[in-house]
Amino acid sequence: MLRTNTCGELREKDAGKEVTLCGWVSTVRNLGALVFIDLRDKYGITQLNVDPKIYALTNVRSEYCISAKGKVVLRSEPNKDLPTGKIEIAVTEINVFSKSETTPFELTDDTNASEDTRLLYRYLDLRRPIMQKYMKIRSDLNFYTREYMNQHGFQEIDTPTLIKSTPEGARDYLVPSRIYPGEFYALPQSPQLYKQLLMVSGADRYFQLAHCYRDEDQRADRQPEFMQIDCEMSFIDREDVLNVIEGLLKYLFKKIDNVDLPDFYRMDYSVAIDSYGCDKPDMRFEMLLNNVTDIMSKSGFKAYEGKVVKALVVPNYADKVSRKNMDLDNLTAKKFKVFGVSHVKMENGVLTGSVVKNFSADSQEKLIKKLNLKNNDLVILCGDASFSNCSYALGALRSEYGHKLGLDKKNVYKPLFLINWPLFEKEADGHYESLSNPFTRPIDEDLPLLDTDPTKVRSTSYDTILNGVELSSGALRIHDSEVQKKVFEILGLSADDINSRFGFLVKALKFGVPPEGGFGIGIERLAMELAGTDNVRDVVAFPKNLKAYEPMSDCPSFVPTADTDILGIKVVKEDTSEKK
RNA sequence: GGAUCUAUAGUGUAGCGGUUUAUCACGUCUCCCUGUCACGGAGAAGACCGAGGGUUCGAAUCCCUCUAGAUCCGCCA
């Protein structure tokens, strides 16, 4: 080893030891007759005390990669902010492994360099202690997941990442085949079909830290490639699966953040939409939506006549709301195609606001009573023909005001399972679509509804939500071929469709399928929660930007035509990459 | 596919029609300094204000187009 110790471990008790440390120069403080160097590695920072004569021999600068030999000595003036702050190294020899150019940004935790620049020099960005911490969380997450799953009888099995493209769901990333020119593999969106096949194979309890790929537009919490804690188990009911998710997440939060998660709440999908206006409710604060249709639709206000009207009460906020606020709220609602937003204030026992004059005295009284309004409460009313649009618009405002009021506290955790989702969604043109996938098992007692009213059928699927973030989703799968047939019919899938898309799975389902179900937990989302960041890119070592582009390596890129010719592919778009 | 915001030295910012040879901080370079730890002190270099076009006597500043990034909606079975 080139070093005897890391930069994070030496303490008072080590005084007198001869050590050699390796790392990067964080800062140089040259006091003339005395030079201090902060040496940094991934474990911490140790101060080097360097004689100016020794310093002059090497003249090290920021981010040089060096080793320093010397004796551990107690500092005359300790630094209580540093774990190694009571000691320093009296350096006798410095060896420069390699010099460094001036870095394009300062490698501090509170850097304000744009993310663009940081991604271009990601290897430097990752030197920042906070990024090292994020990477550690990812590593711990993998380690403790494997530990927990193995302890609970799950077996880790890798499924392929070059698979058949199934034109269902998200857009696939395609990989051309050389041996079959013109044909393509797809990268998996999830190991979904394979894990069901594993259950048919008798694997019983499977898990995997799976790489998944989806070619869809990105978001702050969404990358084109991501990882999932993927799990499937046989001979179980819904509660069995939920208990595994709950147990695993409690274990991970305890081990990594030393947080004791409370027991997971079970919430009905319909309750989430009605009271939270959202399919991933943040239960850290109340401010539930109220349905005031019965009062407002006949209040005399024409805009709300015959509409669904819901109300959000923002307590003690009336004096803080401004014209600009209201305009922003309208903008938020517009995203959900909702325009009938109005703001009403409770002042001195009466309702005020420009729309109030349109409400009958009776309806005003009823509203105050139903919403239990107190002085200085702000009421946001939202009316729309669509119950769900109205709920979603107000749900978005609930989140915004909750945030403004500081109710979304970082150190509070409110996990829940969202259950009893509808199995199907009826599209505008009248045809049915699966809300999850065509293999999702309906709730047994709703089976008769498959023949009468498919939209009323509830599914066994479940989402795990933590503080408004969807951490995982899963479901039980259909194991009865008659039910499966019926679901395919409702979805309007012909025998040919089924055969070409997932014929191999349907075939396997004829050979004895156990009752089974499972889940996939988004590892990056979970890491974000554990790390307390709201940007996925923070917890991914080399992430893509919003356009699925990776600036550091300039990826994706054009390839020589010889390489595409052999694949039987003709590239139409010209290579214009010299501009970069 | 759509909406919003952003673009000024290496980094982050100020300036938002003319006293600007563009502000400040950090960083960089030189010199001084024996206990710093966001070291301190003195000095220096470094930007044609994202690109193109227009309005104007005059544009970093106003308008248009484009480019790049960020955030959201659609999308993500």
Side-chain angles (χ1 to χ4, degrees):
Chain A
M1 289 290 275
L2 296 177
R3 66 182 176 201
T4 60
N5 295 85
T6 70
C7 296
E9 63 181 311
L10 294 170
R11 297 289 185 274
E12 225 172 340
K13 63 176 168 47
D14 298 303
K17 269 188 198 166
E18 284 288 339
V19 297
T20 305
L21 304 183
C22 293
W24 287 267
V25 173
S26 185
T27 50
V28 178
R29 290 183 293 279
N30 188 342
L31 276 64
L34 187 60
V35 180
F36 295 109
I37 293 175
D38 285 344
L39 191 65
R40 183 195 65 233
D41 64 13
K42 75 172 279 193
Y43 309 97
I45 284 179
T46 298
Q47 176 166 284
L48 309 179
N49 186 334
V50 188
D51 185 272
K53 290 193 198 93
I54 295 173
Y55 178 75
L57 293 174
T58 55
N59 204 32
V60 301
R61 305 288 168 119
S62 283
E63 299 309 321
Y64 277 29
C65 185
I66 67 170
S67 72
K69 197 172 163 184
K71 190 189 273 186
V72 180
V73 296
L74 294 178
R75 294 198 198 184
S76 55
E77 286 179 33
N79 180 348
K80 58 183 183 323
D81 297 328
L82 214 57
T84 61
K86 284 187 175 164
I87 58 99
E88 65 187 8
I89 311 300
V91 172
T92 52
E93 189 185 328
I94 284 182
N95 172 32
V96 175
F97 294 126
S98 56
K99 297 182 175 185
S100 172
E101 293 182 7
T102 302
T103 54
F105 57 94
E106 289 162 63
L107 309 187
T108 53
D109 276 356
D110 56 355
T111 181
N112 37 24
S114 73
E115 201 181 20
D116 217 11
T117 312
R118 288 171 46 208
L119 289 186
L120 196 55
Y121 298 92
R122 187 58 154 182
Y123 39 87
L124 296 179
D125 192 36
L126 290 173
R127 275 188 201 168
R128 296 160 55 227
I130 193 159
M131 296 304 288
Q132 297 281 342
K133 194 182 117 196
Y134 292 156
M135 294 306 111
K136 175 78 163 73
I137 287 173
R138 285 293 303 272
S139 172
D140 287 351
L141 200 43
N142 290 1
F143 176 81
Y144 289 117
T145 297
R146 288 198 164 99
E147 188 171 82
Y148 185 89
M149 295 309 274
N150 278 295
Q151 279 168 3
H152 287 77
F154 290 88
Q155 190 178 355
E156 186 168 4
I157 301 175
D158 291 311
T159 55
T161 53
L162 292 175
I163 68 171
K164 183 182 174 65
S165 175
T166 55
E168 195 81 15
R171 190 175 294 109
D172 282 332
Y173 273 99
L174 297 174
V175 180
S177 160
R178 174 183 57 83
I179 297 173
Y180 305 98
E183 298 187 27
F184 294 85
Y185 301 97
L187 301 177
Q189 298 172 26
S190 84
Q192 183 62 44
L193 301 185
Y194 283 97
K195 70 176 173 183
Q196 289 184 232
L197 292 166
L198 283 172
M199 292 304 104
V200 176
S201 81
D204 197 56
R205 286 160 90 86
Y206 137 93
F207 86 102
Q208 178 184 194
L209 304 183
H211 288 269
C212 306
Y213 306 84
R214 290 178 193 171
D215 189 5
E216 295 292 345
D217 287 354
Q218 311 309 312
R219 288 289 189 283
D221 61 353
R222 214 196 282 169
Q223 283 276 297
E225 59 176 315
F226 59 97
M227 290 188 73
Q228 230 172 248
I229 300 168
D230 194 57
C231 172
E232 193 82 357
M233 47 208 290
S234 295
F235 308 115
I236 42 79
D237 59 26
R238 185 171 69 188
E239 273 304 307
D240 295 322
V241 184
L242 297 189
N243 286 333
V244 172
I245 301 174
E246 184 164 345
L248 173 63
L249 288 175
K250 280 179 173 172
Y251 187 71
L252 293 173
F253 271 84
K254 184 66 187 172
K255 285 287 184 182
I256 297 171
D257 273 4
N258 195 26
V259 164
D260 292 298
L261 286 186
D263 289 339
F264 288 34
Y265 188 78
R266 269 83 170 152
M267 187 188 290
D268 224 78
Y269 173 82
S270 57
V271 172
I273 301 300
D274 190 28
S275 299
Y276 294 87
C278 176
D279 59 11
K280 33 186 191 223
D282 189 340
M283 289 181 71
R284 281 174 297 178
F285 56 95
E286 289 277 321
M287 278 173 63
L288 303 183
L289 311 189
N290 289 276
N291 195 330
V292 292
T293 307
D294 52 338
I295 300 170
M296 297 315 292
S297 62
K298 29 186 198 268
S299 65
F301 186 34
K302 287 230 163 49
Y304 285 163
E305 240 167 60
K307 298 277 172 65
V308 174
V309 186
K310 301 187 76 167
L312 171 71
V313 179
V314 187
N316 201 28
Y317 201 79
D319 56 348
K320 293 191 196 69
V321 75
S322 65
R323 184 72 247 166
K324 199 179 165 199
N325 266 165
M326 299 186 196
D327 289 343
L328 284 174
D329 290 350
N330 287 327
L331 211 66
T332 301
K334 213 173 120 187
K335 286 178 191 165
F336 300 91
K337 303 191 186 71
V338 170
F339 301 93
V341 172
S342 34
H343 295 72
V344 173
K345 299 173 186 178
M346 186 71 179
E347 288 177 317
N348 303 319
V350 293
L351 292 179
T352 63
S354 55
V355 291
V356 173
K357 61 179 183 293
N358 300 299
F359 304 155
S360 69
D362 177 55
S363 61
Q364 291 188 35
E365 207 173 292
K366 280 182 177 157
L367 196 66
I368 292 171
K369 200 169 164 211
K370 172 148 188 181
L371 299 178
N372 189 23
L373 294 179
K374 300 188 179 59
N375 263 337
N376 204 33
D377 282 354
L378 170 70
V379 184
I380 304 174
L381 292 165
C382 181
D384 195 79
S386 156
F387 175 81
S388 60
N389 283 359
C390 186
S391 301
Y392 279 122
L394 220 46
L397 290 173
R398 175 184 175 272
S399 298
E400 284 180 13
Y401 279 95
H403 182 68
K404 268 183 209 163
L405 293 170
L407 301 175
D408 52 351
K409 295 198 178 74
K410 283 256 181 205
N411 54 351
V412 175
Y413 297 91
K414 294 284 183 186
L416 67 117
F417 291 118
L418 197 59
I419 55 175
N420 295 335
W421 294 64
L423 188 64
F424 302 106
E425 206 172 30
K426 200 169 188 174
E427 297 298 305
D429 62 7
H431 83 278
Y432 291 99
E433 289 223 353
S434 281
L435 213 66
S436 48
N437 77 45
F439 305 101
T440 300
R441 183 168 148 195
I443 284 184
D444 286 344
E445 61 180 272
D446 290 354
L447 286 173
L449 293 166
L450 283 174
D451 299 313
T452 54
D453 189 355
T455 54
K456 289 227 172 72
V457 178
R458 292 168 298 166
S459 84
T460 53
S461 54
Y462 31 81
D463 272 13
T464 312
I465 317 288
L466 177 64
N467 296 354
V469 175
E470 176 196 325
L471 286 184
S472 96
S473 58
L476 305 186
R477 327 294 173 193
I478 299 171
H479 58 276
D480 179 331
S481 59
E482 285 305 306
V483 174
Q484 186 66 70
K485 210 169 140 190
K486 214 169 266 180
V487 168
F488 281 152
E489 272 169 25
I490 291 168
L491 292 170
L493 293 174
S494 71
D496 281 350
D497 287 336
I498 296 162
N499 204 40
S500 67
R501 290 183 193 187
F502 22 69
F504 63 104
L505 177 64
V506 174
K507 188 174 171 187
L509 297 181
K510 292 174 182 166
F511 292 96
V513 188
E516 50 141 320
F519 61 87
I521 298 178
I523 292 185
E524 288 82 0
R525 295 255 176 99
L526 182 53
M528 282 164 68
E529 280 304 313
L530 289 163
T533 173
D534 46 17
N535 183 341
V536 236
R537 287 166 240 122
D538 283 343
V539 294
V540 176
F542 297 101
K544 310 268 187 291
N545 71 12
L546 283 183
K547 289 201 172 150
Y549 175 71
E550 204 268 276
M552 183 184 66
S553 63
D554 181 27
C555 163
S557 60
F558 285 94
V559 297
T561 42
D563 291 353
T564 47
D565 287 347
I566 200 173
L567 299 167
I569 295 172
K570 187 170 159 46
V571 176
V572 177
K573 191 164 189 294
E574 273 181 51
D575 184 350
T576 52
S577 55
E578 61 267 359
K579 70 179 168 9
K580 282 173 187 167

